[in-house]
Amino acid sequence: ILQDQDYPLPPQFEEAYRNSELVVFEVDPAIPVTNENLEGFNLPPGETVLPLLSASLQTILDDFFKGFDRTLEDYQRRRPEFFNSVLYFFGARSYGFGPGVDDFFEELAESEGKPTAGLELFDEQIGAIVDAYRDVNINWSLTYLLRLAYIQSGQIEEDLRNLIGQWREGRIDELAASNAAFKRSNPQQYESILANRNRNWIPVIESLLETPEVEMVLAGVAHFAGPDNVLALLEEAGYTVERYVAKESPFGTLKFNEPIVISLY
């Protein structure tokens, strides 16, 4: 997710897109998402997140959602982990964060008729997040209160701006350190959300490398830094990974370090 100030994107993205014949996202946007798929976000029929919330917290959350013309009722069937994500993204939205890089290229590929593909299925992505929290004892009421405080203090904007800076400027050591800390503090979640998915993507990427076409693979920055990251796994498999530097920039000379855009050989 980005703010308006983050556009235009670095020229490497534009050039990599123009030089590719297929754009590969985490999930292929050309595959329709059904209501059945979306049920993966929700608790079983008849269950809601409300039993996890005190009456006062329900009032606070309802007031929060009203700021976005929504109500707590709209999201009460969300699984607790996805409800937490709802709060995060609405909070980010309140500071002007909106569609990100994947959204930008999904729309561009669709408008130009460029083929797309995915590294995994939508249900697999949801399943990985659900598994990350399976049998984990979390005080969700406290978690939501802390999330609201994090949003209202403005810390969410500061942290997102720092993360975007790390990503855009290629500060790989900082990204790697963050992932390493995540692995130490929440090994089950790290394994399910990042490491296991990274390993599952390697055969997909290898199959792309065997074709004569050039593909652009676009996924979340967390998958490309720290322990068990995609690039390290490819190098372990014998591939050479090189940083991609734009040859011609439609936006002029960069005024920051080269971002992490990777060309695989």
Side-chain angles (χ1 to χ4, degrees), residues 133-146:
Y133 291 89
R134 199 180 304 279
D135 301 322
V136 175
N137 186 21
I138 296 176
N139 183 333
W140 287 110
S141 186
L142 177 60
T143 297
Y144 302 147
L145 280 171
L146 292 174

Side-chain angles (χ1 to χ4, degrees), residues 11 31 40 45 69 99 108 124 127 142 174 176 179 197 201 235-236:
I31 299 177
D69 296 321
L108 186 59
E124 291 174 331
L142 177 60
E174 294 175 52
N179 271 359
R197 291 170 67 209
W201 290 355
E235 289 181 321
E236 289 175 12

Side-chain angles (χ1 to χ4, degrees), residues 172-249:
I172 193 71
D173 290 344
E174 294 175 52
L175 292 165
S178 178
N179 271 359
F182 179 26
K183 183 175 183 177
R184 289 192 300 271
S185 62
N186 295 285
Q188 177 178 328
Q189 293 173 34
Y190 184 89
E191 177 67 21
S192 184
I193 293 173
L194 287 178
N196 190 53
R197 291 170 67 209
N198 290 348
R199 288 190 287 269
N200 290 340
W201 290 355
I202 296 304
V204 180
I205 295 174
E206 287 186 302
S207 69
L208 296 172
L209 292 170
E210 293 173 358
T211 67
E213 294 81 16
V214 175
E215 297 90 0
M216 176 181 177
V217 178
L218 190 65
V221 68
H223 294 281
F224 299 98
D228 317 292
N229 78 78
V230 169
L231 305 180
L233 292 173
L234 285 168
E235 289 181 321
E236 289 175 12
Y239 294 94
T240 299
V241 179
E242 298 180 3
R243 187 181 297 268
Y244 184 85
V245 179
K247 299 177 179 62
E248 296 180 7
S249 169

Side-chain angles (χ1 to χ4, degrees), residues 151-168:
I151 293 166
Q152 293 165 355
S153 69
Q155 189 64 45
I156 187 174
E157 181 180 30
E158 182 178 334
D159 288 350
L160 277 170
R161 288 305 328 160
N162 184 53
L163 177 59
I164 290 170
Q166 293 172 3
W167 159 74
R168 190 173 182 121

Side-chain angles (χ1 to χ4, degrees), residues 11-23 114 212-216 244-248:
Q12 286 88 339
F13 285 87
E14 173 78 11
E15 188 173 281
Y17 172 82
R18 295 297 172 196
N19 289 338
S20 67
E21 296 154 272
L22 177 72
V23 187
K114 180 168 286 193
E213 294 81 16
V214 175
E215 297 90 0
M216 176 181 177
Y244 184 85
V245 179
K247 299 177 179 62
E248 296 180 7

